PDB file of all heavy atoms in Angstrom:
ATOM      1  N   LEU A  11      -3.773  85.569   9.942  1.00 93.00           N
ATOM      2  CA  LEU A  11      -4.706  84.448   9.922  1.00 93.00           C
ATOM      3  C   LEU A  11      -4.333  83.492  11.040  1.00 93.00           C
ATOM      4  O   LEU A  11      -3.162  83.138  11.203  1.00 93.00           O
ATOM      5  CB  LEU A  11      -4.647  83.733   8.572  1.00 93.00           C
ATOM      6  CG  LEU A  11      -5.345  82.372   8.474  1.00 93.00           C
ATOM      7  CD1 LEU A  11      -6.838  82.511   8.702  1.00 93.00           C
ATOM      8  CD2 LEU A  11      -5.065  81.727   7.128  1.00 93.00           C
ATOM      9  N   ILE A  12      -5.312  83.081  11.830  1.00 94.00           N
ATOM     10  CA  ILE A  12      -5.080  82.235  13.003  1.00 94.00           C
ATOM     11  C   ILE A  12      -5.629  80.832  12.738  1.00 94.00           C
ATOM     12  O   ILE A  12      -6.747  80.680  12.238  1.00 94.00           O
ATOM     13  CB  ILE A  12      -5.755  82.826  14.254  1.00 94.00           C
ATOM     14  CG1 ILE A  12      -5.284  84.264  14.484  1.00 94.00           C
ATOM     15  CG2 ILE A  12      -5.460  81.964  15.474  1.00 94.00           C
ATOM     16  CD1 ILE A  12      -3.799  84.416  14.666  1.00 94.00           C
ATOM     17  N   SER A  13      -4.850  79.837  13.077  1.00 95.00           N
ATOM     18  CA  SER A  13      -5.287  78.434  13.020  1.00 95.00           C
ATOM     19  C   SER A  13      -5.182  77.837  14.416  1.00 95.00           C
ATOM     20  O   SER A  13      -4.116  77.898  15.037  1.00 95.00           O
ATOM     21  CB  SER A  13      -4.427  77.629  12.045  1.00 95.00           C
ATOM     22  OG  SER A  13      -4.538  78.101  10.723  1.00 95.00           O
ATOM     23  N   VAL A  14      -6.286  77.290  14.911  1.00 95.00           N
ATOM     24  CA  VAL A  14      -6.311  76.616  16.207  1.00 95.00           C
ATOM     25  C   VAL A  14      -6.635  75.149  15.960  1.00 95.00           C
ATOM     26  O   VAL A  14      -7.633  74.827  15.311  1.00 95.00           O
ATOM     27  CB  VAL A  14      -7.345  77.246  17.162  1.00 95.00           C
ATOM     28  CG1 VAL A  14      -7.370  76.493  18.483  1.00 95.00           C
ATOM     29  CG2 VAL A  14      -7.028  78.710  17.399  1.00 95.00           C
ATOM     30  N   CYS A  15      -5.782  74.256  16.467  1.00 94.00           N
ATOM     31  CA  CYS A  15      -5.894  72.832  16.158  1.00 94.00           C
ATOM     32  C   CYS A  15      -6.224  72.022  17.413  1.00 94.00           C
ATOM     33  O   CYS A  15      -5.644  72.242  18.476  1.00 94.00           O
ATOM     34  CB  CYS A  15      -4.589  72.310  15.554  1.00 94.00           C
ATOM     35  SG  CYS A  15      -3.963  73.281  14.160  1.00 94.00           S
ATOM     36  N   GLU A  44      -9.405  79.955  11.566  1.00 93.00           N
ATOM     37  CA  GLU A  44      -9.917  78.619  11.285  1.00 93.00           C
ATOM     38  C   GLU A  44      -9.649  77.721  12.481  1.00 93.00           C
ATOM     39  O   GLU A  44      -8.748  77.987  13.283  1.00 93.00           O
ATOM     40  CB  GLU A  44      -9.261  78.022  10.036  1.00 93.00           C
ATOM     41  CG  GLU A  44      -7.758  77.790  10.196  1.00 93.00           C
ATOM     42  CD  GLU A  44      -7.166  76.977   9.060  1.00 93.00           C
ATOM     43  OE1 GLU A  44      -7.932  76.536   8.193  1.00 93.00           O
ATOM     44  OE2 GLU A  44      -5.924  76.778   9.060  1.00 93.00           O
ATOM     45  N   LEU A  46      -9.084  73.575  13.261  1.00 92.00           N
ATOM     46  CA  LEU A  46      -8.863  72.247  12.706  1.00 92.00           C
ATOM     47  C   LEU A  46      -9.090  71.202  13.786  1.00 92.00           C
ATOM     48  O   LEU A  46      -8.597  71.340  14.904  1.00 92.00           O
ATOM     49  CB  LEU A  46      -7.444  72.096  12.155  1.00 92.00           C
ATOM     50  CG  LEU A  46      -7.140  72.736  10.799  1.00 92.00           C
ATOM     51  CD1 LEU A  46      -6.939  74.241  10.946  1.00 92.00           C
ATOM     52  CD2 LEU A  46      -5.908  72.106  10.177  1.00 92.00           C
ATOM     53  N   ALA A  89      -2.564  73.150   8.717  1.00 93.00           N
ATOM     54  CA  ALA A  89      -2.954  74.511   9.089  1.00 93.00           C
ATOM     55  C   ALA A  89      -2.310  75.516   8.135  1.00 93.00           C
ATOM     56  O   ALA A  89      -1.172  75.352   7.711  1.00 93.00           O
ATOM     57  CB  ALA A  89      -2.520  74.801  10.529  1.00 93.00           C
ATOM     58  N   ILE A  90      -3.061  76.578   7.809  1.00 91.00           N
ATOM     59  CA  ILE A  90      -2.569  77.587   6.867  1.00 91.00           C
ATOM     60  C   ILE A  90      -2.359  78.939   7.539  1.00 91.00           C
ATOM     61  O   ILE A  90      -2.070  79.917   6.864  1.00 91.00           O
ATOM     62  CB  ILE A  90      -3.541  77.744   5.682  1.00 91.00           C
ATOM     63  CG1 ILE A  90      -4.899  78.257   6.184  1.00 91.00           C
ATOM     64  CG2 ILE A  90      -3.681  76.451   4.911  1.00 91.00           C
ATOM     65  CD1 ILE A  90      -5.873  78.588   5.079  1.00 91.00           C
ATOM     66  N   GLY A  91      -2.498  79.005   8.844  1.00 91.00           N
ATOM     67  CA  GLY A  91      -2.434  80.283   9.539  1.00 91.00           C
ATOM     68  C   GLY A  91      -1.037  80.858   9.641  1.00 91.00           C
ATOM     69  O   GLY A  91      -0.035  80.143   9.556  1.00 91.00           O
ATOM     70  N   PHE A  93      -0.193  82.205  12.417  1.00 95.00           N
ATOM     71  CA  PHE A  93       0.110  81.703  13.758  1.00 95.00           C
ATOM     72  C   PHE A  93      -0.758  80.481  13.990  1.00 95.00           C
ATOM     73  O   PHE A  93      -1.981  80.521  13.793  1.00 95.00           O
ATOM     74  CB  PHE A  93      -0.163  82.764  14.829  1.00 95.00           C
ATOM     75  CG  PHE A  93       0.810  83.901  14.792  1.00 95.00           C
ATOM     76  CD1 PHE A  93       0.598  84.986  13.959  1.00 95.00           C
ATOM     77  CD2 PHE A  93       1.954  83.889  15.575  1.00 95.00           C
ATOM     78  CE1 PHE A  93       1.488  86.029  13.908  1.00 95.00           C
ATOM     79  CE2 PHE A  93       2.854  84.932  15.530  1.00 95.00           C
ATOM     80  CZ  PHE A  93       2.627  86.016  14.692  1.00 95.00           C
ATOM     81  N   VAL A  94      -0.131  79.394  14.420  1.00 95.00           N
ATOM     82  CA  VAL A  94      -0.829  78.125  14.616  1.00 95.00           C
ATOM     83  C   VAL A  94      -0.805  77.785  16.098  1.00 95.00           C
ATOM     84  O   VAL A  94       0.271  77.751  16.723  1.00 95.00           O
ATOM     85  CB  VAL A  94      -0.173  76.999  13.797  1.00 95.00           C
ATOM     86  CG1 VAL A  94      -0.859  75.666  14.078  1.00 95.00           C
ATOM     87  CG2 VAL A  94      -0.228  77.328  12.309  1.00 95.00           C
ATOM     88  N   VAL A  95      -1.989  77.561  16.655  1.00 95.00           N
ATOM     89  CA  VAL A  95      -2.132  77.174  18.056  1.00 95.00           C
ATOM     90  C   VAL A  95      -2.565  75.708  18.090  1.00 95.00           C
ATOM     91  O   VAL A  95      -3.602  75.355  17.530  1.00 95.00           O
ATOM     92  CB  VAL A  95      -3.170  78.042  18.788  1.00 95.00           C
ATOM     93  CG1 VAL A  95      -3.276  77.629  20.251  1.00 95.00           C
ATOM     94  CG2 VAL A  95      -2.807  79.519  18.667  1.00 95.00           C
ATOM     95  N   ILE A  96      -1.769  74.877  18.719  1.00 94.00           N
ATOM     96  CA  ILE A  96      -2.112  73.469  18.906  1.00 94.00           C
ATOM     97  C   ILE A  96      -2.443  73.281  20.379  1.00 94.00           C
ATOM     98  O   ILE A  96      -1.604  73.540  21.248  1.00 94.00           O
ATOM     99  CB  ILE A  96      -0.962  72.544  18.489  1.00 94.00           C
ATOM    100  CG1 ILE A  96      -0.525  72.838  17.051  1.00 94.00           C
ATOM    101  CG2 ILE A  96      -1.376  71.082  18.619  1.00 94.00           C
ATOM    102  CD1 ILE A  96       0.662  72.018  16.596  1.00 94.00           C
TER     103      ILE A  96
END
Side-chain angles (χ1 to χ4, degrees):
L11 168 63
I12 305 301
S13 297
V14 178
C15 309
E44 64 170 356
L46 283 78
I90 63 174
F93 290 86
V94 177
V95 181
I96 305 177

